[in-house]
Amino acid sequence: MKRRVVIIGGGSGGAILANNLPLEDFEVTVVDRSPYHYYWPWLLYVAFRGSRRPMKREIRSLLKPGVNFIQSGAQSVDLNNRKVVLENGKTLDYDYLVVATGSRPTYGLIGGHEKAVEKYGDYHSTIENAERVWKTVNSLKQGTFAIVVGGDPYRCPPSPLEGVFLAEEFFRSRGLRDRVKVVFAVPYPRPYPAEPMNEVVEPLLKERGVEYITFFTLDRIEEDRKVAVSMEGEELKYDALVVVPPHVGTDMKISPEDVLTTDRFIQADKFTNNIKGFDDAFVIGDASAVPVAKTGVTAHLQAGVVARRLQGEDARNNGRTNCPFDLGYGLGTFVISDYNNPVVKLPPSRFSHLAKIAFAAAYWDMVRYPELWNPIFEAYFEATEPAKLSKIYV
Ligand SMILES: Cc1cc2nc3c(=O)[nH]c(=O)nc-3n(C[C@H](O)[C@H](O)[C@H](O)COP(=O)(O)OP(=O)(O)OC[C@H]3O[C@@H](n4cnc5c(N)ncnc54)[C@H](O)[C@@H]3O)c2cc1C
C-alpha cells in the first residue's frame, strides 16, 4: 500500500518536496489555493528595474506526472484525526501531512499602511504592488524616497536592503541622485541585523550616501502630512514611502491550536521539521516558527530533509541559510550561516551577483528536476559551509 502524503502549499517548499518523493512508495497530493507558483525574489526586479519577465508558472506544470494537484484552499487541519478540510468542500485523509503554506504580508498592524501600499506599492506582496513601486520611483524627480522595515518577520532578510541598493542605483542612473535622498529606517540597532553582514553593507550605504535610521519601530503613516511616525515618536518625512510589511503565518484553522504561535506560525522541531507533538506531520519553509531565515533556500533544504525522513532516513536540518543579496551596481554577497555558525562576513563580488541571477534563471528547472539539481546543490552547500568560509573571511 502506498502511503498517502498530503502537502498543503505548492510554492518553493511544497513543490520541491512533492518532486523529491518516489511515487512507487507514496501517493502524493499537493493542495494550493492558487493555480500558480510564484518566484517571489523577482518582485525586486519588477519594483526597481521594471522587469516584465514572467515570475509565475502553473503549479501543475511544475509537478512530476503522477503527483496529484488539487486547486483549492485548505480550510482546516485536524492533526489528531489526520484530516484536512478543503475550501471546495472535500476532506482529505493522510498518512503524512506537510504544511508548506508560506507566510503572508499583513497590513492591519500599522496605521495608514493600506493607504500607503495603494499609493506607492511594495515589493513583498504581489506583482501589482511591485509594479506600483516601479511607477513610484519613476515619478519621483526630487525629495525623499524612504524604505521602512515595518516589523518582523518578513521574507528574505536581505530583501529590504536589496530594495534600498537597487533604488539608489536607479536614481543615480537617472541622474537624480543629487535631488533624491534615499533613506532606510529599521527597528534594529544597525541597518542589517546580523553584525558580520552589517560590516559588509553599512560601509556601502555610507559610500553611496544612503541615510539610515536605526531603532525606528514604525507605528503609523500619516499620508496627509507625509510622515512615518515611530513608536518612539520620531518622524520621518518622505515624498514617497515603501514599507516592508510584517508577515504572519497560516490562515488555516489548526487543531490542536497550541501548535501555533501568536502570529500563526507553526511550531516544529528545528532539526526534523515535525510539527510539535506529531510524528506524522511536518511544516517546512516560511510557515514554520523554527529559528531560521524565511527564504526559498531554507524551504528547499527542509523539503529535502522531510523527503528523506519520510523514506526512513534519520535526516536532520542544520539550519543552513544561503540567501543571495543584491548590492546594486552588479555586486552581490550571500548571507550564509547555520545553527552552529554565525553569518559569514562574505565580501561583495561580481560572482555572487551573477550567482543570484543564474539561480533565478535555473529556478524552474531546479523545482521540476530535483534529481538533476540535488547533486549540484549538495556539492555547492558542502563547498560553502559556514564553518569553512568563516576561516577565510574574518
Ligand atoms: C522580495 C523577496 C525577495 C526574496 N529573495 C529571496 C532570495 O534571494 N533567495 C531565497 O532563497 N528566498 C528569497 N525570498 C523568499 C522566498 O521567496 C520564500 O522564502 C519562499 O517562497 C518560501 O517558500 P514556501 O514554500 O515556504 O512558501 P511560498 O513559496 O510562499 O508558497 C506557499 C504556497 O502556499 C499556498 N497557500 C497558502 N495558504 C494556503 C491554504 N490555506 N491552502 C492552500 N494553499 C495555501 C500559497 O498559495 C503558496 O502557493 C524572497 C522573497 C521576497 C518577497
Side-chain angles (χ1 to χ4, degrees), residues 11-13 32-33 40-41 74 101-102 123 156 251 286 295-297 356:
S12 296
D32 201 302
R33 183 177 285 128
W40 296 118
T101 45
Y123 54 104
C156 190
D251 58 0
D286 293 359
T295 74
V297 173
K356 177 166 176 124

Side-chain angles (χ1 to χ4, degrees), residues 165 168 172 177 200-212 327 329 331 348:
F165 284 124
E168 194 281 330
R172 195 174 296 277
R177 248 337 240 118
V200 175
V201 297
E202 195 171 350
L204 292 179
L205 292 173
K206 287 186 176 152
E207 204 178 279
R208 297 178 193 173
V210 174
E211 289 181 23
Y212 49 87
L327 300 169
Y329 301 95
L331 293 173

Side-chain angles (χ1 to χ4, degrees), residues 168-196:
E168 194 281 330
E169 187 187 355
F170 170 82
F171 290 120
R172 195 174 296 277
S173 72
R174 295 283 165 108
L176 295 170
R177 248 337 240 118
D178 51 342
R179 275 180 276 158
V180 176
K181 187 159 96 173
V182 179
V183 180
F184 180 50
V186 287
Y188 319 119
R190 54 187 86 87
Y192 192 84
E195 181 65 54

Side-chain angles (χ1 to χ4, degrees), residues 31-64:
V31 179
D32 201 302
R33 183 177 285 128
S34 164
Y36 298 110
H37 176 127
Y38 290 83
Y39 181 64
W40 296 118
W42 207 254
L43 288 179
L44 270 171
Y45 300 99
V46 176
F48 297 104
R49 291 291 177 270
S51 171
R52 301 219 160 243
R53 192 167 119 181
M55 52 168 277
K56 64 177 186 183
R57 289 207 182 167
E58 286 201 4
I59 294 176
R60 205 181 288 276
S61 74
L62 292 172
L63 298 174
K64 287 199 180 304

